[in-house]
Amino acid sequence: SGGVGKTTLAQIVYDKTAIIGGHFQYRAWIAVSQNYNIKELLKKIIRQISVKEEQNTEQLLNMMDDSQLVQIVRGHLNKKRYLLVFDDVWRTGAWESLNIALPPGGEESRVIVTTRIEEVAIPSCYRHQFIFKVSPSMYQLSWELLCRRVFKVPDYSCPPELEEYLRRTIIVLQSGLPLAW
């Protein structure tokens, strides 16, 4: 379902890989959404992983068809370690169109797909045990996470004068997830 933190969780992983650095030679974040254009998505991947910065690159990309773009993506990613995030995928067709651009092998590469639709998640993972379902936290767990993040030591407790306001405003508005992670 929407608004439970799938994109946020993927963004944390993606950002951490930038900090750690070194392992992935290429990284790309691709927002897919309900109304996608596969050609535009492939061009976004190329823009994010391409090492050549030519002035006429955009014109060349615009003249290519889907299969040519797929070959460019495959060529760049082949025998490389990469992290790709396909965020907010709504249709299995979108995943299938993107997946054909990924070279076979790539055991050290990772692809993260965020979706609210299980029928999209299943074909997008190598084995079903890699599906991570994010659901709204229980009310108490959300409250504890928020307090630990905001109020620090010694006991992570919320000042009594703020507690009622925070519980109503932040926890309820976030559908059970704390505002700050």
Side-chain angles (χ1 to χ4, degrees):
S1 59
V4 296
K6 296 176 294 293
T7 297
T8 301
L9 185 59
Q11 187 73 54
I12 290 168
V13 171
Y14 186 81
D15 290 344
K16 292 281 186 202
T17 62
I19 294 167
I20 295 167
H23 181 74
F24 296 111
Q25 294 160 293
Y26 293 123
R27 297 175 18 182
W29 181 283
I30 308 301
V32 180
S33 76
Q34 278 183 293
N35 300 312
Y36 66 93
N37 176 317
I38 197 64
K39 185 174 182 174
E40 291 303 314
L41 296 176
L42 292 167
K43 290 192 309 187
K44 284 181 185 179
I45 296 170
I46 293 166
R47 285 186 207 109
Q48 291 185 47
I49 65 174
S50 182
V51 287
K52 293 181 183 176
E53 290 295 328
E54 299 176 20
Q55 289 180 332
N56 59 354
T57 301
E58 198 61 37
Q59 290 174 327
L60 292 172
L61 291 177
N62 288 335
M63 293 182 344
M64 294 181 183
D65 64 21
D66 293 2
S67 63
Q68 292 170 309
L69 294 169
V70 164
Q71 291 309 312
I72 289 176
V73 172
R74 278 181 164 239
H76 279 311
L77 298 179
N78 193 38
K79 297 184 181 173
K80 300 284 194 277
R81 290 183 313 275
Y82 56 85
L83 171 65
L84 301 178
V85 177
F86 297 117
D87 184 42
D88 199 24
V89 180
W90 283 74
R91 295 183 182 91
T92 56
W95 163 250
E96 291 163 358
S97 296
L98 292 165
N99 189 39
I100 62 169
L102 306 180
E107 288 78 20
E108 293 186 49
S109 296
R110 297 293 178 259
V111 177
I112 298 172
V113 176
T114 68
T115 182
R116 60 185 73 200
I117 302 162
E118 192 166 358
E119 290 75 26
V120 172
I122 291 170
S124 71
C125 72
Y126 182 64
R127 294 185 197 106
H128 298 302
Q129 72 252 31
F130 294 122
I131 295 176
F132 181 75
K133 294 181 181 181
V134 180
S135 60
S137 298
M138 295 181 337
Y139 181 81
Q140 187 58 36
L141 179 58
S142 295
W143 180 250
E144 288 172 17
L145 288 171
L146 177 70
C147 288
R148 285 188 173 274
R149 185 72 170 165
V150 174
F151 299 112
K152 307 294 181 204
V153 290
D155 63 355
Y156 305 106
S157 64
C158 175
E161 62 274 14
L162 291 178
E163 187 169 348
E164 183 179 344
Y165 172 76
L166 289 176
R167 282 185 185 269
R168 278 187 292 122
T169 307
I170 294 175
I171 301 295
V172 172
L173 286 176
Q174 293 301 314
S175 302
L177 287 174
L179 185 60
W181 278 93

